[in-house]
Protein backbone atom coordinates (compact mmCIF):
# COMPACT_ATOMS: atom_id res chain seq x y z
CA UNK A 1 0.00 0.00 0.00
CA UNK A 2 2.77 2.47 0.84
CA UNK A 3 4.27 2.06 -2.64
CA UNK A 4 0.90 3.10 -4.10
CA UNK A 5 0.81 6.19 -1.88
CA UNK A 6 4.28 7.21 -2.97
CA UNK A 7 3.41 6.67 -6.65
CA UNK A 8 0.72 9.17 -7.70
CA UNK A 9 0.29 7.49 -11.09
CA UNK A 10 -1.24 4.50 -9.27
CA UNK A 11 -3.77 6.53 -7.25
CA UNK A 12 -7.40 5.48 -7.69
CA UNK A 13 -8.37 9.15 -8.11
CA UNK A 14 -5.16 10.13 -9.93
CA UNK A 15 -6.90 10.76 -13.23
CA UNK A 16 -9.33 13.26 -11.70
CA UNK A 17 -8.82 17.02 -11.87
CA UNK A 18 -6.42 18.42 -9.27
CA UNK A 19 -7.88 19.71 -6.03
CA UNK A 20 -8.18 23.44 -5.41
CA UNK A 21 -5.45 23.09 -2.79
CA UNK A 22 -3.12 21.40 -5.32
CA UNK A 23 -3.83 24.05 -7.97
CA UNK A 24 -3.21 26.90 -5.54
CA UNK A 25 0.00 25.42 -4.16
CA UNK A 26 1.28 24.49 -7.61
CA UNK A 27 0.62 28.01 -8.95
CA UNK A 28 2.46 29.58 -6.03
CA UNK A 29 5.33 27.12 -6.23
CA UNK A 30 5.64 27.48 -10.01
CA UNK A 31 5.78 31.24 -9.63
CA UNK A 32 8.57 31.02 -7.05
CA UNK A 33 10.51 28.68 -9.36
CA UNK A 34 9.84 30.80 -12.45
CA UNK A 35 8.05 27.87 -14.11
CA UNK A 36 5.16 28.24 -16.55
CA UNK A 37 2.56 25.66 -15.48
CA UNK A 38 -1.21 25.58 -15.93
CA UNK A 39 -2.42 23.46 -12.99
CA UNK A 40 -5.92 23.11 -14.43
CA UNK A 41 -4.49 21.18 -17.41
CA UNK A 42 -3.10 18.45 -15.12
CA UNK A 43 -4.60 15.46 -13.33
CA UNK A 44 -4.28 14.96 -9.58
CA UNK A 45 -1.36 12.58 -10.02
CA UNK A 46 0.39 14.85 -12.53
CA UNK A 47 -0.07 17.84 -10.23
CA UNK A 48 1.39 15.89 -7.31
CA UNK A 49 4.39 14.81 -9.37
CA UNK A 50 4.94 18.37 -10.63
CA UNK A 51 4.77 19.70 -7.06
CA UNK A 52 7.43 17.19 -6.00
CA UNK A 53 9.64 18.16 -8.96
CA UNK A 54 9.35 21.87 -8.23
CA UNK A 55 9.94 21.43 -4.50
CA UNK A 56 13.30 19.85 -5.30
CA UNK A 57 14.40 22.60 -7.70
CA UNK A 58 16.43 25.52 -6.51
CA UNK A 59 14.33 28.62 -5.87
CA UNK A 60 14.79 31.40 -8.42
CA UNK A 61 13.98 34.17 -5.92
CA UNK A 62 17.16 34.27 -3.84
CA UNK A 63 15.87 37.25 -1.86
CA UNK A 64 13.19 35.14 -0.15
CA UNK A 65 13.87 34.66 3.54
CA UNK A 66 14.63 31.11 4.62
CA UNK A 67 11.76 29.47 6.42
CA UNK A 68 9.13 31.83 5.10
CA UNK A 69 5.93 30.16 3.93
CA UNK A 70 5.70 29.74 0.15
CA UNK A 71 2.15 31.03 0.21
CA UNK A 72 0.57 33.76 2.31
CA UNK A 73 -1.04 31.98 5.29
CA UNK A 74 -4.24 33.99 4.75
CA UNK A 75 -4.72 32.10 1.48
CA UNK A 76 -4.29 28.61 2.95
CA UNK A 77 -7.19 26.26 2.23
CA UNK A 78 -6.83 24.85 5.77
CA UNK A 79 -6.02 28.17 7.44
CA UNK A 80 -9.18 28.25 9.54
CA UNK A 81 -8.55 24.80 11.00
CA UNK A 82 -7.10 24.66 14.53
CA UNK A 83 -3.34 25.17 14.73
CA UNK A 84 -1.23 22.04 14.95
CA UNK A 85 0.34 21.00 18.23
CA UNK A 86 3.74 21.85 16.80
CA UNK A 87 2.59 25.36 15.89
CA UNK A 88 1.05 25.94 19.33
CA UNK A 89 4.18 24.64 21.04
CA UNK A 90 6.38 26.98 19.03
CA UNK A 91 4.13 29.95 19.81
CA UNK A 92 4.11 29.00 23.51
CA UNK A 93 7.91 28.83 23.78
CA UNK A 94 8.45 32.21 22.14
CA UNK A 95 5.56 33.93 23.93
CA UNK A 96 6.88 32.75 27.31
CA UNK A 97 10.36 33.95 26.39
CA UNK A 98 8.88 37.40 25.77
CA UNK A 99 6.79 37.27 28.94
CA UNK A 100 3.54 37.29 26.98
CA UNK A 101 0.40 35.25 27.48
CA UNK A 102 0.15 32.08 25.46
CA UNK A 103 -3.04 32.04 23.38
CA UNK A 104 -5.35 29.11 24.07
CA UNK A 105 -6.56 28.68 20.50
CA UNK A 106 -5.34 29.81 17.10
CA UNK A 107 -6.11 28.78 13.55
CA UNK A 108 -3.30 27.46 11.35
CA UNK A 109 -3.02 30.78 9.49
CA UNK A 110 -3.09 32.83 12.70
CA UNK A 111 -0.45 30.57 14.27
CA UNK A 112 1.82 30.87 11.24
CA UNK A 113 1.57 34.65 11.27
CA UNK A 114 2.12 34.74 15.04
CA UNK A 115 5.20 32.51 14.70
CA UNK A 116 6.67 34.86 12.09
CA UNK A 117 6.04 37.88 14.30
CA UNK A 118 7.46 36.20 17.40
CA UNK A 119 10.52 34.92 15.52
CA UNK A 120 11.36 38.48 14.56
CA UNK A 121 11.04 39.68 18.14
CA UNK A 122 12.90 36.78 19.80
CA UNK A 123 15.58 36.31 17.15
CA UNK A 124 14.78 32.60 17.01
Amino acid sequence: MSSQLSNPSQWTTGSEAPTDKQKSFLSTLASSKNADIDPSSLTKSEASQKIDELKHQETVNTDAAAGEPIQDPKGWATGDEPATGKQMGYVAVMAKELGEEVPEKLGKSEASERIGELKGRTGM
Side-chain angles (χ1 to χ4, degrees):
M1 181 76 161
S2 64
S3 63
Q4 183 182 13
L5 292 176
S6 62
N7 189 352
S9 65
Q10 295 180 356
W11 291 352
T12 304
T13 60
S15 61
E16 294 178 2
T19 65
D20 289 340
K21 187 174 179 179
Q22 278 182 309
K23 290 190 282 189
S24 176
F25 185 66
L26 187 53
S27 292
T28 302
L29 190 58
S31 177
S32 75
K33 304 291 183 166
N34 202 24
D36 186 23
I37 297 171
D38 177 14
S40 61
S41 69
L42 304 173
T43 64
K44 273 186 187 177
S45 65
E46 292 169 336
S48 179
Q49 290 169 334
K50 189 55 74 173
I51 288 168
D52 286 343
E53 286 175 28
L54 291 172
K55 284 170 67 175
H56 291 94
Q57 285 181 3
E58 189 172 321
T59 301
V60 174
N61 182 1
T62 56
D63 294 335
E68 290 295 317
I70 292 174
Q71 184 182 21
D72 182 356
K74 290 179 182 136
W76 290 355
T78 60
D80 292 334
E81 293 178 6
T84 65
K86 190 173 182 178
Q87 283 179 307
M88 290 304 294
Y90 206 38
V91 168
V93 167
M94 290 188 288
K96 284 180 183 177
E97 184 174 311
L98 293 169
E100 296 180 5
E101 281 192 38
V102 177
E104 288 186 34
K105 293 181 181 181
L106 292 173
K108 286 181 180 178
S109 294
E110 292 173 301
S112 180
E113 291 170 347
R114 182 85 171 142
I115 288 167
E117 182 248 323
L118 291 169
K119 276 177 140 179
R121 293 177 40 215
T122 61
M124 293 179 114

